[in-house]
Amino acid sequence: MRSFRVAVALIVLAGVAPASVSGGTRRAVETRVLVMPFAVDVEAKAAGTASASRWLGEAARLLLIDDLGRLGVGVVSRDECGAAFDRLQLPVASTLTRATMIRVGELVGASQVVFGEVHMGDQLTVRTRMLHLAPGSAAPDVTDTAALSDLFALFERTAASLAPAIGPSLPPRPRSDGNLPLEVFENYVKGLVAPTPTAQQRFLETALKQAPHDARLLVALWSVYASQGQPEKALAVASAVPKDSSLSRKARFLAALSLIDLGRFDGAADQLTALNRERPSPVLTNALGVVQLRRPPAASVSTTAQAYFKQAVDAEPANTDYLFNLGYASARAQDGDAALSWLREAVRYDAANGDAHLVMSAVLSAQGKSVEGQRELDLAKQLGTRPDTSLLTLSPRIPNGLERLPTDLDVPSNQRLDATIASPAQRDQQETAAFHFDQGRTLFDAQRDREAANELRRAIYLAPYENPPHVLLGRVYERGGRLNEAIDEFKVAIWCRETAEARAALAGALYESGDKDAARREVERALVLDPSSAEAKALLKKIGATIW
């Protein structure tokens, strides 16, 4: 479950669409290319390349992301791809089937997937392939050869060959940060892919000694220091990024995040306000809201946390981080009605948002609605989004430290539904929800899972407490290998209305995830509800238990 929450904290991908413009307008980027790590084959006779397979595949991905982006092609960032792998519980590796690559591509809203192989002998030979996720013309493979010392030029040529088959969707941009020396670049990439924070830090610090002012190294080290709870070091490297670097804006934002971690709220607010004045972003107004929320109560402020979060929500109305923060801040300000309104809007988009259900339980308890409050708490416990949730009892106390703080200005928002989502204000929502559910079921039967998920999310948005759409969306996730999300949807379905179908579906997902004991308990409960359930009986036999 933790991997799902980490993904949400990073970028909260929704598996529907790339970045959207607020207000339901058309997407700014029609094409998005997902670049996978390349497979690497190193000949035994190749001198000095024993560790090449550990970095060359990732180097190929990084160079193509950068070179395609400079040519105006919309590309999926490395962090966004990593979060998608986390949600699918997959290793970020090059040895994946095409079906798996398609699943990852669909999760991040990609239109094409680029992958390939690097063969290293006396020279490098790179074969690059492109897979279209939607019907369209197939692009030919691109093969090129060069010496290792010409690695950068080789991938510039490869990107230039691929770009015409994709089509630009953004203005081309000049290269502002030059190529690193090859030895430094190798240490940089090894630092990104090293399996432990200690190893990451060692490689990146070695690279930084060789190129002490390179923005890419400084930003990468910020992530390592921040993840290890070293905000002073993180602040130092972010502050050292040159002002003329293309990463300067990002580094200033990261420095502000470190100031927040250090409790230096005035400095963080000044930095965030300056960045937002230069180029407004809901990520920045959201961060300003977090600053206000964490400041001591006696601090004199001109704008409340709720006001900043409302600005973020106005810019991206379907971003569940911002909706949750607005509801949470309202609850902290003892505005229970506003808190419930915004938190319920958040769970329309993400019914498995355990923190939202937890805060709603406290607000309802404070309003004397103990039955509804207990119901929300029970769901929060089922979802298990926090280690201590199972020990909680119903209380009007609002938990501390739940605010969401996205850490990347460049990752698309978690827009869960596209601009065609039905408005909650329209007439006869139940009928419209039923229409979208029927469409989703038809698409599911046709194995058009991405489209089915979109329809089911629309149905859930309009009728969030109906059981069948959650069950079917869980089955979509399960078939796509997204077991954590499937389990969450099945739990929400049971919370809406307990049925044998939902219990059996949850049992199946738990069994596939490796939790055989929990699966047995769920399937036994399904047979109590419906002793004739064929699905439950088949699964109980598969688990190896006896049908009583």
Side-chain angles (χ1 to χ4, degrees):
M1 200 66 64
R2 181 178 180 275
S3 65
F4 172 65
R5 302 315 306 177
V6 170
V8 169
L10 285 170
I11 54 176
V12 205
L13 300 173
V16 177
S20 297
V21 182
S22 64
T25 55
R26 287 181 60 82
R27 294 169 189 154
V29 178
E30 299 293 342
T31 299
R32 299 187 82 219
V33 178
L34 170 65
V35 184
M36 302 291 291
F38 278 39
V40 180
D41 172 36
V42 182
E43 293 183 8
K45 66 178 182 179
T49 58
S51 64
S53 61
R54 293 197 294 269
W55 72 277
L56 270 177
E58 183 64 20
R61 172 162 69 147
L62 288 174
L63 292 173
L64 279 179
I65 288 175
D66 185 57
D67 290 332
L68 287 171
R70 285 190 300 102
L71 293 171
V73 174
V75 290
V76 178
S77 73
R78 182 178 183 271
D79 284 346
E80 191 178 353
C81 180
F85 272 84
D86 190 49
R87 285 181 74 180
L88 292 171
Q89 298 180 299
L90 294 169
V92 182
S94 54
T95 54
L96 299 175
T97 65
R98 287 199 175 202
T100 301
M101 287 191 284
I102 289 172
R103 276 165 39 203
V104 178
E106 289 181 340
L107 186 60
V108 297
S111 51
Q112 291 95 0
V113 177
V114 170
F115 61 104
E117 303 88 35
V118 177
H119 177 82
M120 184 160 194
D122 295 332
Q123 288 191 309
L124 283 181
T125 299
V126 176
R127 182 185 181 189
T128 305
R129 309 178 187 187
M130 186 160 62
L131 179 65
H132 289 266
L133 300 189
S137 58
D141 294 353
V142 176
T143 302
D144 202 345
T145 300
L148 179 60
S149 59
D150 292 327
L151 178 72
F152 302 107
L154 186 155
F155 281 99
E156 285 179 10
R157 294 194 300 269
T158 300
S161 297
L162 290 173
I166 302 168
S169 49
L170 294 168
R173 54 180 172 80
R175 181 190 295 276
S176 59
D177 298 299
N179 290 326
L180 289 164
L182 186 59
E183 181 184 2
V184 182
F185 181 68
E186 179 177 344
N187 279 322
Y188 167 55
V189 178
K190 286 180 177 177
L192 295 179
V193 300
T196 66
T198 301
Q200 291 173 354
Q201 183 174 333
R202 183 175 69 252
F203 281 118
L204 290 171
E205 287 180 344
T206 298
L208 191 63
K209 289 177 182 176
Q210 300 166 315
H213 305 296
D214 187 82
R216 289 157 292 193
L217 304 177
L218 292 164
V219 167
L221 268 172
W222 181 92
S223 296
V224 174
Y225 291 146
S227 68
Q228 295 186 85
Q230 301 180 57
E232 289 283 7
K233 283 189 171 182
L235 176 61
V237 292
S239 301
V241 171
K243 289 183 173 55
D244 60 350
S245 166
S246 63
L247 294 175
S248 174
R249 176 175 166 84
K250 178 175 183 177
R252 291 163 62 197
F253 175 60
L254 298 179
L257 297 182
S258 295
L259 289 170
I260 294 174
D261 285 342
L262 291 166
R264 293 162 59 178
F265 299 119
D266 289 345
D270 290 345
Q271 183 83 291
L272 293 168
T273 300
L275 285 166
N276 200 49
R277 190 180 298 117
E278 295 166 9
R279 192 193 314 161
S281 166
V283 176
L284 296 170
T285 50
N286 178 76
L288 282 163
V290 171
V291 169
Q292 303 302 65
L293 202 61
R294 293 187 186 180
R295 270 178 162 159
S300 176
V301 296
S302 58
T303 307
T304 65
Q306 297 99 295
Y308 280 122
F309 293 139
K310 182 61 165 61
Q311 291 179 40
V313 167
D314 287 344
E316 292 183 6
N319 186 305
T320 53
D321 279 348
Y322 305 157
L323 288 166
F324 172 79
N325 280 351
L326 180 52
Y328 180 55
S330 299
R332 293 274 297 269
Q334 300 184 336
D335 187 350
D337 290 342
L340 290 174
S341 176
W342 293 114
L343 292 169
R344 282 170 176 154
E345 187 70 2
V347 300
R348 281 182 179 271
Y349 289 108
D350 180 11
N353 188 330
D355 286 346
H357 293 290
L358 181 61
V359 176
M360 280 196 286
S361 75
V363 174
L364 290 165
S365 175
Q367 293 181 342
K369 301 174 181 177
S370 56
V371 174
E372 292 129 303
Q374 185 63 51
R375 184 169 159 79
E376 294 291 344
L377 180 60
D378 290 344
L379 180 55
K381 287 182 176 182
Q382 282 189 54
L383 294 171
T385 52
R386 294 184 178 273
D388 59 346
T389 305
S390 62
L391 305 176
L392 295 178
T393 57
L394 186 64
S395 166
R397 187 181 69 83
I398 307 298
N400 292 321
L402 301 186
E403 61 271 12
R404 310 284 177 82
L405 185 59
T407 61
D408 199 321
L409 277 171
D410 304 319
V411 171
S413 72
N414 66 327
Q415 204 78 2
R416 293 189 64 91
L417 301 175
D418 65 20
T420 63
I421 186 169
S423 166
Q426 68 179 295
R427 294 177 299 171
D428 205 356
Q429 288 188 15
Q430 292 297 323
E431 183 177 333
T432 307
F435 168 78
H436 287 301
F437 174 68
D438 289 341
Q439 290 288 100
R441 184 166 49 195
T442 299
L443 291 163
F444 175 81
D445 291 342
Q447 298 194 341
R448 293 163 60 183
D449 286 355
R450 186 179 183 185
E451 296 163 85
N454 289 350
E455 292 296 329
L456 293 168
R457 291 193 193 98
R458 294 184 181 101
I460 289 168
Y461 182 85
L462 293 165
Y465 304 117
E466 291 294 322
N467 167 287
H470 290 291
V471 173
L472 191 54
L473 183 57
R475 294 192 188 279
V476 171
Y477 287 150
E478 183 179 19
R479 190 156 70 184
R482 297 159 65 176
L483 292 178
N484 280 349
E485 291 161 275
I487 289 168
D488 281 346
E489 286 298 331
F490 294 141
K491 287 179 177 179
V492 173
I494 292 166
W495 177 80
C496 292
R497 181 168 62 88
E498 186 181 23
T499 63
E501 180 189 13
R503 287 286 182 186
L506 176 58
L510 288 167
Y511 179 78
E512 292 299 323
S513 72
D515 194 344
K516 188 175 180 180
D517 292 337
R520 181 183 292 107
R521 290 193 297 271
E522 293 298 331
V523 79
E524 288 174 351
R525 176 60 184 164
L527 288 169
V528 168
L529 294 169
D530 180 7
S532 66
S533 170
E535 181 181 6
K537 288 180 180 179
L539 183 57
L540 195 62
K541 185 177 181 180
K542 188 176 182 181
I543 293 172
T546 303
I547 299 176
W548 26 263

